[in-house]
Amino acid sequence: MSQFSDTAEKNLLVMDPFGARQFNNPDYTGTQVNYPLKEFEAKVNEYYRLGYPLVDGYAPFCKHLFIPNFAGVKCGYIAKTSEINSLIESCYEARKENELAVLIEYVSRDKIPPPDATFLDIILYSREQIILENEAMNSPAPETDAPWGIISVKGQTVDYELPMQPITMMRNALGKEYGGSGAPLDFDKYKDSVAFWSKHVAIK
């Protein structure tokens, strides 16, 4: 039985295995969440029941929930400066098995302490979208009937959606069989992404 199934009966927003990789995992290279997973899920649903709204994302199957950073999560990005630029590294990275590896740039958290985040961006995909992506990657369907799966947690200093990285938008446009969502590339949003990530870099 899935470790997430017992929370699915009482929560509308449930942790997807893709999002669970971030939790209590010192080897995870993105934003780490050092907090009990089930307690985190319960707290997210508590904020949702208090009236924090689901905000439309980049596609109809994607929503965001912006809530206070109750879990001590660090910010996953930092503004570029001459000092930061000298620390930037790059590598090819795939987030899961069978996914297309893409070139990313980042600053190691060992070289620069991540700033504190004030908000959490809880990124949600619909159950239907998760099923479609899992089928394309030969992964099992979610063992829950909950309508929304938590697929990512981002720490940030604003309570609105920040542009996803340009390479992520490209991978999404390539399709589900490459590990993307299948959402077509939006040229204006892509330009916004380039503008933001030309001035910021991920911390991992």
Side-chain angles (χ1 to χ4, degrees), residues 165-187:
Q165 295 194 32
I167 197 65
T168 305
M169 299 178 74
M170 287 186 174
R171 180 166 48 197
N172 281 341
L174 284 174
K176 301 178 184 68
E177 63 270 29
Y178 295 103
S181 66
L185 189 68
D186 183 306
F187 185 64

Side-chain angles (χ1 to χ4, degrees), residues 133-145:
E133 292 192 20
N134 286 3
E135 287 177 347
M137 300 298 288
N138 296 313
S139 298
E143 297 181 18
T144 170
D145 292 328

Side-chain angles (χ1 to χ4, degrees), residues 88-108:
I88 292 177
E89 303 175 59
S90 63
C91 70
Y92 284 93
E93 180 180 75
R95 301 170 300 179
K96 56 184 177 181
E97 188 178 359
N98 298 327
E99 184 178 76
L100 184 72
V102 297
L103 183 65
I104 63 168
E105 67 172 17
Y106 64 94
V107 173
S108 171

